[in-house]
Amino acid sequence: MKLTDRIVSPSGFSTNQTYIHIVDTNNPTQDPAGSSYKATLDESISGSPFVVIVSGTGVNSSIRRDVSNVASGDNSGALGGLSNSATTNYSMIVGGRNNIVSGGTHSFIGGGRCNTASGGYSTIGGGFNNNATYINSTIGGGANNSTTNDESTIGGGWGNYASGYSSTIGGGRSNCAYGYGSFLGAGWNNTVDGSFSTIGGGQLNYTNASFTFIGGGRDNSAYGNCSTIGGGTGNVASSSCSTIGGGCDNTASGAFGSTVGGGGNNTSGNWWTTIGGGKNNTVTSCGSTIGGGLNNCVDSQNSGIFGGNSNSISGITSFIGGGQNNTIGTGSTHSVIVGGSGNTIDYGYRSFIGGGIGNYVSGLTSTIVGGCDNTVIGLRNTIGGGGYHLVCVTGVGKGDATIGGGYCNKALANNATVAGGANNYAYCDSSTISGGQSNIACGNKTTIGGGTCNVSSGDVSFVGGGSYNNIYTGSTHSVIVGGYYNISSGTCSFIGGGCYNQTTSGLSSIVGGSNNLTTGCRSSIVGGRDNRTQGNNGFIGGGCFNTGGTAQNIAIIAGLNNYSKGQNSFIGSGQNNYIGNSGYSTIIAGKNNNICSPSLRGFIGSGSGNTVSGFDTVVVGGSGNIASASKSFIGGGCFNIASGSTSTVGGGHLNIAGGNCSFVGGGRLNKNYSSRGFIGGGCQHLIASGSYYSIIVGGQCNYISCDRNFIGGGCQNSMSGNTTFSSIIGGQDNIINGYDDTHIIGSCITADRSCTTFVNNLSIMNIPNSGVGLPSGSVYRIGSNLCIVP
């Protein structure tokens, strides 16, 4: 029967009682096809060179024969290698040499040499002299590795030691994992002695706290729970939840949450402190940060340094961006230095320095944007830039001073401002200097626009520019627009420009010019040179050496060396014109004209050398004319005199109107001394004093010395004595002396009776031939005879 047709034995098999049929085809002694033998199962397996795995001494155990392997544990196996011993139930050794499974069941050794798995459910993949001594421990390979706690794991490497519960070592050399649930990836001589802590690799790294992490590097130590070191060398994370990213010799200490990103020799030493990198940086107060740089230090809360060199913060909630040797001192809370070198904020609450070098702030909410060696002291003060500036305002509620830029400027009062320039000083409250050099604003609310060496000491005053201009103390609300060496010492005064101009009284003004002076209130000089106004409301338009005296309301428009002392007087122009104490008087123009005192409302229009000395007296023009009586008038001409009250000289030369209401119209050398007398013109006429209402119309050398008489013209006619109501129509050398109502028509006639008309020759034309209808006294002709109507 074929073997394949046979049925299975109804009884069980035993290796020493059950026989099997064996055909040896290599032995033809019984049959050429092969000899037939019987043997037990044990005999057939042990005797065959093709049988490798045999039963061990444990129940259902297996070993490789002939290599001194032992499988004494039930269901155990030592399936390969040499001198391997699986002495516990369900244990397995696949290969290797001198490997031992003892003490714990369900253990496994894959291979290697002199490995020992003595913990239950432990595993050794291979390697040399590895020891897995606790339950569920694992060693992947390597040499001289040991797991001495439950669920510990070593992946490989040399001399590694995992003694923490559920600890893991990936590989490396001489690494130790003592902590519960700890992990060590690789590297040399690393130690994890804290629960659930991790070292990724590196050399001589150490942690003894829980939940820590060291990524790698050398000589790093994590002593704080939940601390982290990414790598680097010589780093120490000693506070809970602290972090070091890398670098060398960095320290994250303090109570909680400190961080160092990298760099070297950095110390993050308090709650939630952070250092990003750099070297020799130190943070000692909670919540503070250093981004990087060199030798930076923060020892105040919630402050930060972004980078730079040798920067320091001692004020809470403050910030330094970078730069070198910048300092925020104690008490300087909420302050900022962006960068620069050698900048300092000391006791500067909410203060700011943008950059620059050597800047200093000591005050609340004060600012320096940049520049060098600038200083701010006080409340809400500001320097924009430039160098060597000083803003210093102290006192309760005082501050808000500003310097925009420039060089060596000072703002030393409340709300004072210097926009720029050099060596400008703003000393008083709300004073302002826009620019220029060496300007001084020392009045409250005063302003200097620019220029050089200007001084404004008056409150609410203004200097626009120029040089060496000065507004004195007490000269409030005053203005100097420009020019040089101008001075204002009166309140509300104004100087537009020019040089060496000065206002000394209130509301006065000088628009321009040179060496002009106003000493009266509300006085003005528009321009010119060496002009003076001394009285209130005075005015000089221009010219040179013009002077308005101490009386009020004097005006000089222009000219040279004009002088007026009269109240409400006026000089329009000209030269060397003078008005004395003669109120309401006027000189329009001309030269050397004079309105003398006492006089009132005098007037000279123009001309030269004219004089007015009476009230309401007028000289319109001409030369050398004198109007010396009240209401007298000279229209023009030269060397005329109006000396009688209300007298008039119209013009001419050397004429005199000497009587009250007398009149000389023109001509030459005419003299009218009579009251209300009249000389129309001509030459060398005379109306004597006391000859009221007498008239000389023209001619030459006519003479009247009596009242109410008339000379129409001619030459050398004379009326004298007690003659009244008489007349000489014209002619030459006519005389009326003492006869009233006498008239002369002709020449060389001397009147000898009153009420008579004298003629040289009388011709009557068209005489009527009858007297009928003619009035009494009429002349008519009868033939050749003349008759008179009775």
Side-chain angles (χ1 to χ4, degrees):
M1 179 183 293
K2 294 181 179 178
L3 181 61
T4 56
D5 293 335
R6 297 183 182 273
I7 64 172
V8 178
S9 173
S11 61
F13 293 94
S14 68
T15 58
N16 57 357
Q17 296 177 350
T18 303
Y19 290 91
I20 61 174
H21 178 214
I22 298 173
V23 176
D24 185 3
T25 59
N26 292 321
N27 184 1
T29 57
Q30 296 179 8
D31 190 275
S35 301
S36 179
Y37 301 96
K38 70 175 181 179
T40 65
L41 286 174
D42 288 342
E43 289 174 342
S44 62
I45 292 172
S46 62
S48 174
F50 302 105
V51 177
V52 177
I53 303 302
V54 298
S55 296
T57 58
V59 177
N60 297 323
S61 63
S62 301
I63 62 171
R64 180 183 176 92
R65 69 178 187 178
D66 303 326
V67 290
S68 302
N69 288 336
V70 175
S72 59
D74 295 345
N75 302 298
S76 63
L79 302 181
L82 177 66
S83 300
N84 296 311
S85 297
T87 63
T88 62
N89 295 337
Y90 307 105
S91 60
M92 174 61 71
I93 298 175
V94 175
R97 179 182 177 191
N98 298 114
N99 296 309
I100 300 173
V101 176
S102 63
T105 63
H106 300 86
S107 295
F108 174 86
I109 296 176
R113 181 183 176 194
C114 299
N115 297 307
T116 302
S118 58
Y121 302 95
S122 61
T123 299
I124 297 175
F128 173 75
N129 198 33
N130 296 308
N131 290 280
T133 60
Y134 275 76
I135 296 173
N136 296 318
S137 61
T138 301
I139 297 175
N144 298 311
N145 298 308
S146 298
T147 59
T148 62
N149 210 327
D150 294 345
E151 300 177 7
S152 58
T153 301
I154 297 175
W158 188 91
N160 298 308
Y161 184 75
S163 65
Y165 182 82
S166 296
S167 61
T168 300
I169 297 175
R173 181 183 179 93
S174 301
N175 297 307
C176 296
Y178 298 119
Y180 187 98
S182 60
F183 174 85
L184 204 158
W188 282 26
N189 295 302
N190 298 305
T191 301
V192 179
D193 196 12
S195 299
F196 303 104
S197 294
T198 299
I199 294 178
Q203 183 180 7
L204 296 172
N205 297 309
Y206 175 78
T207 177
N208 64 355
S210 300
F211 307 103
T212 62
F213 175 86
I214 297 176
R218 185 174 186 273
D219 288 312
N220 298 307
S221 299
Y223 299 121
N225 293 334
C226 303
S227 60
T228 300
I229 298 176
T233 178
N235 298 308
V236 177
S238 60
S239 65
S240 296
C241 298
S242 59
T243 301
I244 298 176
C248 64
D249 300 311
N250 297 307
T251 300
S253 58
F256 188 85
S258 59
T259 300
V260 177
N265 201 33
N266 298 308
T267 300
S268 178
N270 212 317
W271 291 67
W272 307 298
T273 56
T274 301
I275 297 176
K279 184 178 181 181
N280 296 332
N281 298 307
T282 302
V283 178
T284 60
S285 292
C286 66
S288 294
T289 301
I290 294 177
L294 175 66
N295 296 320
N296 297 307
C297 178
V298 177
D299 61 359
S300 59
Q301 298 178 10
N302 303 315
S303 296
I305 297 176
F306 192 79
N309 182 9
S310 300
N311 298 307
S312 175
I313 296 179
S314 299
I316 64 173
T317 324
S318 295
F319 174 81
I320 294 177
Q324 180 176 351
N325 295 317
N326 297 309
T327 300
I328 297 178
T330 303
S332 301
T333 60
H334 308 289
S335 294
V336 174
I337 297 176
V338 177
S341 176
N343 299 309
T344 301
I345 297 177
D346 191 15
Y347 295 99
Y349 181 73
R350 293 196 182 99
S351 293
F352 175 88
I353 295 177
I357 180 171
N359 297 308
Y360 177 83
V361 171
S362 177
L364 305 182
T365 325
S366 291
T367 299
I368 296 176
V369 178
C372 65
D373 296 295
N374 297 309
T375 300
V376 170
I377 300 172
L379 175 67
R380 298 186 301 274
N381 297 317
T382 302
I383 294 177
Y388 301 96
H389 302 308
L390 172 62
V391 176
C392 180
V393 184
T394 59
V396 177
K398 293 186 176 182
D400 301 297
T402 301
I403 295 177
Y407 174 80
C408 206
N409 297 310
K410 294 181 180 179
L412 305 177
N414 194 37
N415 301 305
T417 300
V418 178
N423 296 301
N424 297 310
Y425 300 160
Y427 285 116
C428 290
D429 290 352
S430 302
S431 57
T432 300
I433 300 175
S434 297
Q437 180 178 355
S438 301
N439 298 305
I440 298 174
C442 49
N444 294 329
K445 302 179 182 66
T446 191
T447 300
I448 297 177
T452 178
C453 299
N454 297 306
V455 177
S456 181
S457 303
D459 293 347
V460 202
S461 294
F462 174 85
V463 177
S467 60
Y468 297 97
N469 297 307
N470 195 333
I471 297 178
Y472 286 173
T473 302
S475 184
T476 63
H477 302 88
S478 295
V479 174
I480 298 177
V481 177
Y484 60 95
Y485 287 104
N486 297 307
I487 296 173
S488 172
S489 57
T491 61
C492 302
S493 60
F494 173 87
I495 297 177
C499 61
Y500 298 100
N501 298 308
Q502 182 175 1
T503 61
T504 62
S505 57
L507 301 168
S508 57
S509 64
I510 297 174
V511 177
S514 171
N515 202 34
N516 296 309
L517 171 65
T518 64
T519 59
C521 291
R522 300 175 297 279
S523 296
S524 299
I525 297 176
V526 176
R529 174 187 173 199
D530 293 289
N531 298 307
R532 304 285 185 271
T533 60
Q534 299 170 345
N536 296 340
N537 308 312
F539 176 85
I540 295 177
C544 300
F545 298 101
N546 297 307
T547 301
T550 58
Q552 296 184 12
N553 308 318
I554 296 174
I556 300 173
I557 302 302
L560 172 64
N561 202 35
N562 297 305
Y563 184 18
S564 177
K565 298 169 63 177
Q567 181 176 346
N568 302 301
S569 61
F570 175 88
I571 296 177
S573 184
Q575 179 179 351
N576 298 322
N577 296 307
Y578 175 79
I579 298 176
N581 294 322
S582 303
Y584 304 95
S585 296
T586 300
I587 297 176
I588 300 298
K591 180 180 180 181
N592 297 318
N593 296 307
N594 189 347
I595 299 178
C596 302
S597 57
S599 182
L600 189 67
R601 296 180 294 276
F603 177 88
I604 297 176
S606 185
S608 172
N610 298 306
T611 301
V612 168
S613 60
F615 297 155
D616 302 306
T617 304
V618 175
V619 175
V620 176
S623 173
N625 297 307
I626 299 173
S628 58
S630 298
K631 299 180 179 62
S632 58
F633 175 89
I634 297 176
C638 58
F639 302 106
N640 298 304
I641 298 173
S643 57
S645 176
T646 323
S647 60
T648 299
V649 176
H653 179 215
L654 294 172
N655 297 307
I656 297 174
N660 293 339
C661 302
S662 60
F663 177 88
V664 177
R668 181 174 181 271
L669 294 173
N670 296 307
K671 299 176 182 179
N672 186 352
Y673 296 112
S674 71
S675 177
R676 298 171 182 81
F678 177 90
I679 297 176
C683 177
Q684 295 182 317
H685 301 304
L686 171 63
I687 298 178
S689 175
S691 303
Y692 298 106
Y693 304 105
S694 293
I695 297 172
I696 297 175
V697 176
Q700 181 180 1
C701 298
N702 297 305
Y703 172 77
I704 296 176
S705 61
C706 45
D707 296 342
R708 296 174 177 83
N709 295 301
F710 174 87
I711 296 176
C715 177
Q716 295 184 343
N717 297 303
S718 173
M719 302 178 74
S720 58
N722 294 321
T723 300
T724 59
F725 305 109
S726 297
S727 66
I728 298 175
I729 303 303
Q732 179 179 346
D733 296 318
N734 296 302
I735 298 172
I736 299 176
N737 185 8
Y739 298 104
D740 298 335
D741 300 304
T742 301
H743 306 283
I744 295 176
I745 302 173
S747 296
C748 301
I749 299 172
T750 300
D752 56 4
R753 56 187 177 274
S754 298
C755 301
T756 303
T757 298
F758 297 90
V759 297
N760 294 112
N761 294 292
L762 180 62
S763 176
I764 301 176
M765 305 299 291
N766 299 318
I767 300 173
N769 295 321
S770 172
V772 178
L774 296 177
S776 177
S778 298
V779 177
Y780 63 94
R781 182 177 63 181
I782 299 176
S784 60
N785 296 318
L786 295 176
C787 300
I788 298 174
V789 178

